[in-house]
């Protein structure tokens, strides 16, 4: 089942990936890279290295810093390594479902980790099991491993191309063999993957912030439909899908990517600031202070303040040392954790007309609690603003998104949302405004520049599992049944 925190109703990314080849502190650098990508997954983490003979590995529940430190170089030796942070959209949070996954294939060992979701994984898994495959986990990542193993192509690259030709959905993967580090990105470019260089070593990562933390130089983004192969011979590029304009997930700009990362050469921080500018132009109001919902609402709130001239104030203080609410064993414990996570700054809020700015509204549960907290702190008026358009469709490409029947904007009219949130006004950024803030003058309706299906319902790839079994429409499409 999907483990979604109903109180922390933000969209959650499935994971982050990192790989490095050509540095004898590969595992240490991988741990640092995963630490920079911790925001993409906090449930579990894993690293596999290659020491010239073996593939030492460690996989743990919990955060990177809790497990990967100290004598890591002796525990995971080698000049190459790949790592993964997990936030599950597929399979229960158990040890066997932590990536990277590994298998001894006919040509030698192969480890792989991936970020995303395969929209035909259930059908592929059913066919593989019918033909005798034995699965050890409930992750769609293992489907990739089986497809590679069963290919009849002569070399490893050919077998990987065979496997990728059979899968649908959004993914960025890193793989490790005894001779190569491999990166691949789906034909649409939904999930991100970048290439960096650290001296003579090459690095693959989900975001540029992971390159920055180890002092690596950003080289370029891996293209959609591209495989890169890194070895002692250097780096090679191969296409496994026809060239086409990329259509990356727009939520990288809205929420997922760290503010200090670059996506398509654009500063995430600056894009979110411009979202706030555009939001203020589209949904103006009279107020005394602009207050962000921390931390993700801060850049947009700054932009809203700059455009509107309304002073920016930190009216809500977030406690970064409170654990995630879903791990609390009782409802009482959850409610206690929620109240500790955000605290009102009454000196800023009391008697004021407040513009409350957040990055998005998913289920609306957290938004309701935040509004009530601000109201209890003495705010005279509350005007809620979302720096993204209304989310009215679920995602099937690796975002842990609520079913359509639970999406706040999908099941309520605008007036109903105002009443449910108990706010004086409510405003969302428009889809054209979002494109403008990112740097595109207009949305290309024939071939959208970004995967914006959560707002528009226009999915960029076939939804095979949904078409195969329409009863799955209320959950992540390729969620595999637990064994």
């Amino acid at each position: 089942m999907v483990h979604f925190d109903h109180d922390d109703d933000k969209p959650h990314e499935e994971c982050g990936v990192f790989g490095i080849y050509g540095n004898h502190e590969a595992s240490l650098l991988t741990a640092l890279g995963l630490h920079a990508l911790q925001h993409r997954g906090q449930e579990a983490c894993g690293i596999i290295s290659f020491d010239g003979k073996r593939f030492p590995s460690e996989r743990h529940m919990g955060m990177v810093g809790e497990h990967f430190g100290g004598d890591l170089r002796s525990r995971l030796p080698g000049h190459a390594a790949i790592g993964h942070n997990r936030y599950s959209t597929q399979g229960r949070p158990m040890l066997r479902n932590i990536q990277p996954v590994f298998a001894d294939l006919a040509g030698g060992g192969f480890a792989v980790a991936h970020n995303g979701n395969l929209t035909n994984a259930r059908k592929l898994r059913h066919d593989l099991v019918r033909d005798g495959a034995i699965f050890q986990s409930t992750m769609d990542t293992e489907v990739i491993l089986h497809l590679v193993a069963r290919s009849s192509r002569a070399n490893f690259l050919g077998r990987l191309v065979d496997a990728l030709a059979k899968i649908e959905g959004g993914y960025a993967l890193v793989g490790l063999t005894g001779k190569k580090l491999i990166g691949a990105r789906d034909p649409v470019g939904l999930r991100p993957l970048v290439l960096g260089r650290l001296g003579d070593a090459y690095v693959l990562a989900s975001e540029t912030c992971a390159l920055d933390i180890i002092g690596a130089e950003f080289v370029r983004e891996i293209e959609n439909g591209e495989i890169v192969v890194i070895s002692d011979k250097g780096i090679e590029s191969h296409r496994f899908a026809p060239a086409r304009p990329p259509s990356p997930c727009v939520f990288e700009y809205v929420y997922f990517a760290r503010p200090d990362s670059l996506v398509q050469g654009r500063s995430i921080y600056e894009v979110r600031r411009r979202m706030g500018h555009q939001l203020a132009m589209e949904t103006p109001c009279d107020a005394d202070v602009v207050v962000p919902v921390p931390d993700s609402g801060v850049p947009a709130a700054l932009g809203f303040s700059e455009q509107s001239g309304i002073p920016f104030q930190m009216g809500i203080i977030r406690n970064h040392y409170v654990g995630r609410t879903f791990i609390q064993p009782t409802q009482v414990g959850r409610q206690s954790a929620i109240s500790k996570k955000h605290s009102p700054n009454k000196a800023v809020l009391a008697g004021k007309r407040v513009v409350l700015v957040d990055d998005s509204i998913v289920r609306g549960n957290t938004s309701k609690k935040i509004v009530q907290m601000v109201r209890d702190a003495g705010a005279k008026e509350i005007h809620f603003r979302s720096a993204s358009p209304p989310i009215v469709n679920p995602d099937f490409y690796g975002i842990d998104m609520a079913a359509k029947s639970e999406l706040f904007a999908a099941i309520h009219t605008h007036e109903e949302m105002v009443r449910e949130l108990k706010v004086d006004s409510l405003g969302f950024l428009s889809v054209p405004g979002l494109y403008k803030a990112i740097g595109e003058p207009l949305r290309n309706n024939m071939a959208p520049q970004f995967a914006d299906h959560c707002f528009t319902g226009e999915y960029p790839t076939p939804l095979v599992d949904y078409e195969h079994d329409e009863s799955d429409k209320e959950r992540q499409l390729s969620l595999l049944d637990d064994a």
Side-chain angles (χ1 to χ4, degrees):
M1 60 181 290
V2 171
H3 288 261
F4 190 97
D5 178 2
H6 286 259
D7 298 305
D8 178 18
D9 59 353
K10 294 293 184 184
H12 287 279
E13 177 73 9
E14 185 184 3
C15 57
V17 295
F18 187 94
I20 184 168
Y21 186 96
N23 188 297
H24 287 285
E25 293 190 332
S27 58
L28 286 170
L29 294 169
T30 299
L32 281 171
L34 293 180
H35 184 74
L37 298 171
Q38 190 73 85
H39 60 288
R40 300 184 77 91
Q42 301 89 42
E43 185 179 274
C45 51
I47 296 175
I48 291 180
S49 65
F50 180 68
D51 65 2
K53 294 182 179 179
R54 303 174 301 113
F55 290 85
S57 68
E58 285 190 22
R59 297 183 296 169
H60 301 280
M61 299 296 298
M63 303 281 213
V64 176
E66 297 170 0
H67 304 289
F68 293 121
D71 59 344
L72 189 60
R73 186 175 176 181
S74 62
R75 287 154 42 200
L76 298 172
H79 71 287
I82 62 172
H84 183 270
N85 284 335
R86 174 175 169 83
Y87 185 92
S88 64
T89 61
Q90 302 242 11
R92 294 181 184 275
M94 57 183 68
L95 198 59
R96 64 176 176 158
N97 281 338
I98 301 174
Q99 298 182 46
V101 293
F102 175 82
D104 275 312
L105 306 182
F110 176 49
V112 63
H114 104 286
N115 164 25
N117 200 54
L118 308 185
T119 57
N120 63 339
R122 188 183 293 110
K123 182 179 185 304
L124 288 172
R125 186 177 194 258
H126 177 270
D127 294 343
L128 287 163
V129 169
R130 183 192 59 202
D131 292 342
I134 299 173
F135 280 76
Q136 301 298 319
S137 75
T138 62
M139 296 181 294
D140 55 355
T141 316
E142 194 176 357
V143 170
I144 301 172
L145 208 60
H146 279 278
L147 292 174
V148 173
R150 285 170 176 255
S151 171
S152 59
R153 297 284 289 272
N155 58 54
F156 179 82
L157 180 61
R159 292 196 290 273
L160 180 59
V161 169
D162 260 4
L164 297 182
K166 292 180 174 66
I167 63 178
E168 295 281 358
Y171 56 86
L173 65 85
V174 291
L176 185 64
T177 73
K179 296 179 180 179
K180 301 177 178 71
L181 172 68
I182 298 158
R185 194 174 177 194
D186 67 78
V188 178
L190 283 159
R191 302 267 69 88
L193 191 64
V194 298
L195 174 69
R197 188 164 186 170
L198 180 64
D200 294 330
Y202 283 101
V203 184
L204 295 168
S206 292
E207 290 184 40
T208 60
C209 64
L211 305 180
D212 296 337
I213 199 172
I214 66 169
E217 171 193 2
F218 170 73
V219 176
R220 65 177 178 88
E221 292 192 359
I222 304 305
E223 295 180 7
N224 48 309
E226 180 187 15
I227 295 175
V228 292
V229 180
I230 299 163
S231 68
D232 291 340
K233 299 177 183 178
I235 184 166
E236 302 172 7
S237 172
H238 305 269
R239 294 210 61 84
F240 68 91
R244 52 154 288 176
S247 186
C249 178
V250 77
F251 265 96
E252 293 294 334
Y253 292 100
V254 172
Y255 182 76
F256 293 140
R258 234 172 64 166
D260 55 332
S261 282
L262 298 175
V263 175
Q264 296 179 297
R266 301 176 174 112
S267 161
I268 291 296
Y269 176 82
E270 287 301 323
V271 168
R272 290 175 185 166
R273 219 170 113 252
R274 292 198 298 269
M275 289 177 185
H277 290 166
Q278 192 68 26
L279 184 63
M281 288 188 281
E282 294 182 0
T283 63
C285 66
D286 292 325
D288 302 309
V289 292
V290 175
V291 171
V293 176
D295 290 323
S296 56
V298 171
L302 279 168
F304 194 105
S305 172
E306 290 167 350
Q307 181 64 37
S308 66
I310 302 170
F312 173 92
Q313 295 282 355
M314 293 300 294
I316 300 171
I317 309 302
R318 182 182 176 190
N319 183 350
H320 292 266
Y321 303 100
V322 175
R324 296 168 69 199
T325 56
F326 82 89
I327 65 171
Q328 301 292 334
T330 66
Q331 181 62 25
V332 172
R334 275 194 294 271
Q335 292 300 123
S336 175
I338 294 163
S339 65
K340 292 174 183 175
K341 185 181 290 186
H342 294 103
S343 300
N345 187 350
K346 294 182 181 180
V348 168
L349 301 171
K352 301 291 178 59
R353 298 172 299 167
V354 178
V355 181
L356 203 55
V357 180
D358 205 352
D359 59 90
S360 60
I361 302 176
V362 183
R363 281 186 169 90
N365 299 333
T366 295
S367 301
K368 292 175 188 177
K369 292 179 173 67
I370 292 289
V371 168
Q372 189 59 54
M373 181 184 69
V374 172
R375 188 78 72 185
D376 291 343
K380 184 165 63 175
E381 294 178 10
I382 301 175
H383 303 273
F384 201 104
R385 297 294 182 266
S386 166
S388 76
I391 299 172
V392 293
N393 297 284
D395 180 80
F396 302 121
Y397 302 107
I399 304 174
D400 191 357
M401 186 73 75
K404 191 178 181 75
S405 61
E406 296 178 344
L407 294 171
F408 192 60
I411 59 175
H412 294 100
T413 66
H414 189 89
E415 292 74 19
E416 288 170 342
M417 287 190 282
V418 170
R419 289 197 298 270
E420 287 281 325
L421 292 173
K422 298 180 180 177
V423 293
D424 294 275
S425 73
L426 172 65
F428 293 88
L429 184 62
S430 68
V431 171
L434 176 59
Y435 272 73
K436 185 176 180 180
I438 295 173
E440 299 288 342
L442 292 171
R443 180 182 189 266
N444 181 350
N445 293 328
M446 298 301 294
Q449 300 94 314
F450 305 101
D452 56 14
H453 44 277
C454 292
F455 311 131
T456 65
E458 297 179 23
Y459 292 91
T461 74
L463 303 180
V464 176
D465 285 345
Y466 170 74
E467 295 161 359
H468 183 69
D469 184 358
E470 195 164 324
S471 66
D472 287 336
K473 64 184 178 181
E474 289 297 282
R475 61 174 176 164
Q476 286 278 314
L477 280 183
S478 297
L479 184 66
L480 306 181
D481 293 331
D482 286 298

